[in-house]
Amino acid sequence: MRNPSMESQELARYPFLRAASSYIAEQGLDILRVLDDIAYADAVLMGRGRAFMAVSDGRLPAFHAADEDDVIDILISYAVARIIVSTFPDSYLINRYSRVEAEAATQRLYEESPDTIMSVAGDLSFPLEYGDGGFRIHFTDYLIYSSDIRDPAWKLINQDLKHGHVFLTKKRAVRLMQKAIENRILERLPLALPESIAESFRKDTERLKALVAEAKSRFSGSDIGEYSPDRLPPCIKHIMAMAQQGINIPHIG
């Protein structure tokens, strides 16, 4: 049993990093080929759980890499989850899955050292800086990445602003990164899949369709009686459309 290196542990915790696919290739593995390999059956099962739990529960299973084999299984599970989600390229599904993965990664980043946070930020091209014991970001970038956060405490006027930079606590720096993580995951979905792969996950696709239909039904008008969507204010129409697409709704919404 080989203990996982610091680099591979980071990839297991943040499988959306660019180096993750290179790491898998270095192990001589082809994701599409391992799907039918009995040696990776647990990893494929883990991937199914990753996809379904993200949609049904809004969270991910707990992952722990005790050795390099665990690292590989976790990375394969992430790839499998993305494949399964891509077999049913519904906007609600893709947005929800990406958001849940990003939220889980953010929770892990809260516990990381500044070096690891900056390493992930660099991979994401997230414009975060670190020095003199603290994090900072240019105010223009702060406005972009905090635009979905409606808490008044996050307004620019309430920030520690010096020389054009907003100075941030570790927790706030990581929270701002969540949108960048979600964007990274979103930009790579849905995957273009061979027909044979899509067919092999047909039962999973049907299960996903049922979960998505159930989730969307919660945003239908069935619980509030008859109403005319045309008579709703534009802001409410917008919020309902966001909910139906699985887009994270700001607190004020």
Side-chain angles (χ1 to χ4, degrees):
M1 179 183 295
R2 294 180 300 150
N3 291 328
S5 65
M6 290 297 291
E7 179 183 359
S8 62
Q9 284 183 334
E10 184 174 305
L11 295 179
R13 292 194 296 274
Y14 311 108
F16 51 82
L17 296 177
R18 299 183 192 280
S21 56
S22 299
Y23 178 86
I24 287 293
E26 289 169 3
Q27 311 307 311
L29 298 174
D30 181 324
I31 291 297
L32 296 183
R33 291 183 179 177
V34 305
L35 296 177
D36 296 322
D37 190 331
I38 189 65
Y40 298 101
D42 288 343
V44 174
L45 185 63
M46 190 188 304
R48 286 188 163 98
R50 190 171 193 141
F52 295 138
M53 188 175 289
V55 179
S56 62
D57 298 350
R59 61 186 179 87
L60 297 181
F63 302 114
H64 176 66
D67 55 39
E68 290 288 350
D69 288 340
D70 288 342
V71 170
I72 293 172
D73 281 352
I74 292 171
L75 292 178
I76 290 175
S77 79
Y78 177 69
V80 169
R82 292 167 65 229
I83 288 172
I84 292 174
V85 168
S86 296
T87 65
F88 180 44
D90 175 84
S91 60
Y92 172 88
L93 170 63
I94 290 175
N95 282 316
R96 182 172 175 82
Y97 170 75
S98 299
R99 186 177 74 251
V100 171
E101 285 277 4
E103 289 173 348
T106 301
Q107 291 301 315
R108 291 190 287 269
L109 274 172
Y110 285 140
E111 308 301 323
E112 300 285 12
S113 68
D115 285 346
T116 298
I117 292 170
M118 291 305 300
S119 174
V120 175
D123 188 273
L124 294 167
S125 298
F126 181 74
L128 186 67
E129 300 176 22
Y130 181 76
D132 299 324
F135 294 93
R136 62 182 177 271
I137 188 172
H138 195 270
F139 81 93
T140 55
D141 294 312
Y142 178 87
L143 289 172
I144 292 171
Y145 287 99
S146 65
S147 61
D148 290 340
I149 306 175
R150 301 302 182 185
D151 186 335
W154 283 83
K155 288 184 176 296
L156 184 60
I157 196 173
N158 295 322
Q159 306 313 306
D160 180 11
L161 181 64
K162 296 177 183 177
H163 306 296
H165 285 82
V166 176
F167 285 74
L168 304 163
T169 63
K170 172 183 170 181
K171 185 172 183 178
R172 287 198 164 209
V174 169
R175 175 63 183 86
L176 280 182
M177 287 174 63
Q178 182 174 314
K179 188 63 177 177
I181 296 171
E182 185 175 343
N183 288 343
R184 164 66 61 82
I185 298 169
L186 266 174
E187 71 187 15
R188 300 180 177 183
L189 291 172
L191 304 172
L193 301 174
E195 184 62 33
S196 59
I197 296 298
E199 179 60 26
S200 68
F201 285 100
R202 183 172 55 81
K203 291 183 179 179
D204 299 296
T205 306
E206 294 305 314
R207 183 178 175 187
L208 275 182
K209 288 180 179 179
L211 289 173
V212 170
E214 180 183 354
K216 285 184 176 181
S217 70
R218 295 197 292 268
F219 305 110
S220 71
S222 59
D223 295 328
I224 59 176
E226 294 185 5
Y227 77 102
S228 172
D230 294 336
R231 302 178 72 175
L232 293 173
C235 59
I236 301 300
K237 290 181 182 178
H238 179 64
I239 292 171
M240 291 183 68
M242 290 175 67
Q244 290 169 341
Q245 295 177 50
I247 298 173
N248 197 28
I249 299 174
H251 179 70
I252 194 171

